[in-house]
Amino acid sequence: LVNLKNMGYEGEFYFGNPTQKMQVIFDTGSPAAWVYSEKCKNNNCPVQNKKYEQSKSSEFHNNDKAG
């Protein structure tokens, strides 16, 4: 993990099968970690951020309770 001026930490998560390496920022004030999805439209997500390609994962399932 990399300390970002004591405001958060940046690190890597591995998601899916086969795995996809994603850079994430861990918010020290919450239990949440967010990753951009391939379904996110460019006007809502930063273009420079890599997006998780759920269509390539054999184990992905949608969480209907998620936001």
Side-chain angles (χ1 to χ4, degrees), residues 19-54:
T19 58
Q20 298 173 49
K21 180 171 73 170
M22 306 291 298
Q23 287 295 120
V24 297
I25 295 175
F26 300 89
D27 177 0
T28 58
S30 78
W34 293 87
V35 175
Y36 295 108
S37 164
E38 67 186 348
K39 293 186 177 186
C40 187
K41 304 298 180 212
N42 284 339
N43 59 341
N44 292 325
C45 296
V47 176
Q48 72 273 14
N49 289 74
K50 184 177 177 184
K51 295 174 181 65
Y52 174 66
E53 299 177 87
Q54 61 225 41

Side-chain angles (χ1 to χ4, degrees), residues 61-67:
H61 66 280
N62 194 40
N63 180 355
D64 293 330
K65 295 180 182 179

Side-chain angles (χ1 to χ4, degrees), residues 4-17:
L4 301 173
K5 299 181 182 180
N6 292 325
M7 295 177 59
Y9 293 88
E10 183 179 70
E12 297 174 345
F13 267 2
Y14 293 81
F15 296 95
N17 185 19

